[in-house]
């Protein structure tokens, strides 16, 4: 018998019923959906249900990937554990009750949480009913995962030192289109797609879904020098961000939908250091200048540390990023193709391209099926 009791014995059915909780931001949703895709590849008879709220990107991203979405009331998370959290105030109680309804409805076998405000009620609702697996994407664990890890059947982290005890380090589940990307094979098509020169180096710049003011300003300053060196620039500046005017060799876009093609077109990247960004850029083997967000508790710098230590990129503090710094860091790379290739190989070697299927195997192991 499991330590959780006989109620955790697998249900009778064609395959496991897996509930994922990773709503709110793309940083929580994308790993959850990549994991869900891996579950379905490995176990086509499995069912996967996603928990989410009407806030954030849940209602747009999750149904678009073909997974049923069960909505729960949003629960604002305090930054630190409080007595209110332990007492389960009204909003938490309502969300937990709704989670339990969903678990019963889908005959859940396991809840897999990825942090954020959806994960906390999922963990509390699943406790004592079905086993819990916690995945932490960031270098420093958030409150929801700290709570869930206390009674989880398994705890997994993207990088060492997350603060979750006994966490198995597996990396971040990524989209199959990213982990299987043939950059060389798609290079010509990708450059045509974005209107980039067919030959010569390309720098990809992006700061997440909303862009990044510091990166945008530095690229504008560095652009004449980059173009003089023969470096083309594909720049995702964000829906409200400012960019230089389009010109030969410079393609500014508010947002890039086909990120796998952007990776294929590029030779190096200038970007933030969010957990998903670092995981994807390293998985496709692109060297990068990582500019951590200057807010929070410093987790973005920690996210990029393993790649930087492996030789796959450099860290530049936000306050130090200028046009001159961009040129100083990147132009030598583009002048030495062998160095660029070596850095790309180091970046790829530091990543965990199989994290999606390895996490699925952890979950199957918890279920014993």
């Amino acid at each position: 018998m499991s330590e959780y009791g006989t109620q955790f014995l697998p249900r009778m059915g064609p395959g496991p019923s897996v509930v994922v909780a990773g709503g709110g931001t793309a940083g929580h949703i994308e790993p959850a959906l990549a994991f869900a895709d891996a579950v379905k590849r490995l176990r086509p008879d499995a069912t996967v249900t996603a928990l989410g709220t009407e806030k954030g990107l849940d209602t747009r991203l999750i149904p678009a990937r073909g997974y049923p979405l069960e909505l729960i009331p949003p629960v604002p998370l305090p930054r630190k554990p409080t007595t209110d959290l332990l007492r389960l105030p009204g909003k938490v109680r309502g969300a937990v009750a709704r989670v339990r309804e969903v678990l019963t409805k889908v005959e859940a076998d396991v809840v897999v949480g990825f942090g954020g405000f959806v994960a906390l009620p999922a963990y509390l609702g699943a406790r004592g009913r079905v086993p819990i697996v916690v995945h932490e994407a960031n270098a420093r664990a958030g409150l929801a995962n700290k709570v869930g890890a206390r009674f989880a059947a398994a705890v997994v982290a993207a990088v060492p030192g997350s603060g979750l005890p006994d966490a198995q380090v597996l990396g971040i589940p990524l989209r199959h289109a990213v982990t299987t990307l043939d950059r060389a094979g798609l290079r010509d098509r990708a450059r045509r797609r974005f209107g980039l020169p067919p030959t010569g180096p390309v720098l990809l710049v992006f700061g997440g879904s909303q862009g990044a003011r510091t990166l945008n300003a530095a690229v504008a300053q560095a652009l004449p020098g980059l173009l003089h060196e023969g470096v083309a620039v594909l720049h995702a500046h964000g829906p409200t961000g400012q960019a230089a005017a389009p010109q030969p060799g410079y393609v500014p876009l508010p947002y890039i939908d086909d990120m796998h093609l952007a990776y294929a077109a590029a030779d190096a990247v200038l970007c933030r250091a969010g957990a998903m960004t670092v995981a994807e850029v390293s998985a496709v083997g692109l060297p990068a200048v990582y500019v951590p967000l200057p807010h929070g508790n410093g987790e973005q710098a920690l996210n990029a540390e393993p790649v930087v230590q492996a030789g796959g990129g450099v860290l530049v503090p936000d306050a130090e990023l200028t046009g001159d710094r961009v040129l100083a860091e990147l132009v030598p790379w583009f002048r030495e193709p062998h160095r660029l290739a070596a850095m790309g190989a180091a970046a790829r070697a530091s990543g965990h391209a199989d994290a999606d299927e390895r996490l699925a195997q952890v979950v199957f192991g918890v279920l014993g099926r």
Side-chain angles (χ1 to χ4, degrees):
M1 180 186 298
S2 150
E3 64 179 275
Y4 301 98
T6 55
Q7 71 268 33
F8 281 5
L9 293 176
R11 69 184 176 91
M12 300 304 292
S17 175
V18 179
V19 173
V20 297
T25 66
H28 291 124
I29 297 171
E30 288 296 342
L33 295 180
F35 160 74
D37 291 345
V39 168
K40 294 296 290 182
R41 281 198 309 275
L42 296 174
R43 290 291 303 270
D45 60 342
T47 58
V48 180
T49 305
L51 296 177
T53 75
E54 292 182 345
K55 293 186 175 182
L57 300 172
D58 306 17
T59 55
R60 182 165 72 87
L61 297 182
I62 294 172
R65 291 280 285 274
Y67 292 102
L69 171 64
E70 294 285 348
L71 297 176
I72 64 174
V75 178
L77 286 182
R79 292 186 178 273
K80 298 180 180 179
T82 64
T83 54
D84 285 342
L85 177 63
L86 299 177
R87 293 171 185 162
L88 295 183
K91 285 187 176 180
V92 177
R93 284 199 302 270
V96 169
R98 172 61 182 149
V99 167
R100 289 173 178 167
E101 288 178 4
V102 174
L103 298 183
T104 300
K105 172 184 175 181
V106 303
E107 299 182 66
D109 291 308
V110 64
V111 167
V112 185
F114 294 82
F117 53 75
V118 174
L120 180 60
Y123 296 148
L124 297 175
R127 186 179 186 182
R129 287 168 170 76
V130 296
I132 296 163
V133 175
V134 171
H135 180 278
E136 177 56 58
N138 288 297
R140 288 180 176 165
L143 175 60
N145 279 350
K146 287 180 179 177
V147 173
R150 294 176 184 173
F151 41 84
V155 179
V156 175
V159 295
S162 66
L164 299 182
D166 302 319
Q168 183 179 357
V169 177
L170 295 184
I172 300 178
L174 300 174
R175 290 169 295 151
H176 210 47
V178 170
T179 59
T180 61
L181 182 65
D182 179 4
R183 282 177 49 217
L186 285 175
R187 184 182 180 93
D188 291 344
R189 172 189 160 196
R191 293 198 171 193
R192 288 195 302 271
R193 158 72 173 80
F194 294 110
L196 292 162
T199 60
V202 169
L203 173 66
L204 169 63
V205 183
F206 65 98
S209 60
Q210 298 304 309
R213 183 180 301 175
T214 304
L215 271 63
N216 293 345
V219 168
Q221 295 166 5
L223 187 59
L226 290 169
L227 295 178
H228 178 74
E229 289 286 337
V231 179
V233 180
L234 175 59
H235 181 194
H237 53 77
T240 61
Q242 295 183 344
Q247 55 189 289
Y250 176 66
V251 180
L253 297 169
Y255 186 77
I256 298 175
D257 289 314
D258 300 325
M259 277 303 294
H260 66 292
L261 290 180
Y263 292 144
D267 297 283
V269 180
L270 172 66
C271 58
R272 287 299 194 194
M276 282 294 295
T277 294
V278 174
E280 288 197 352
V281 170
S282 59
V284 299
L286 280 168
V289 173
Y290 293 106
V291 186
L293 198 67
H295 311 300
N297 57 6
E299 68 271 12
Q300 284 212 351
L302 295 175
N303 290 336
E305 255 186 21
V307 183
V308 172
Q309 290 176 357
V314 298
L315 273 171
V316 175
D318 184 85
E320 297 180 14
L321 189 73
T322 63
D324 287 342
R325 185 66 181 271
V326 169
L327 295 174
E329 295 288 352
L330 285 163
V331 168
W333 296 4
F334 293 123
R335 287 178 176 172
E336 302 177 38
H338 292 297
R339 178 183 177 186
L340 202 64
M343 292 183 70
R348 182 185 291 274
S350 72
H352 301 269
D354 59 350
D356 55 348
E357 295 192 358
R358 292 182 68 191
L359 178 57
Q361 295 293 0
V362 168
V363 172
F364 298 151
V366 166
L367 294 176
R369 58 193 299 198

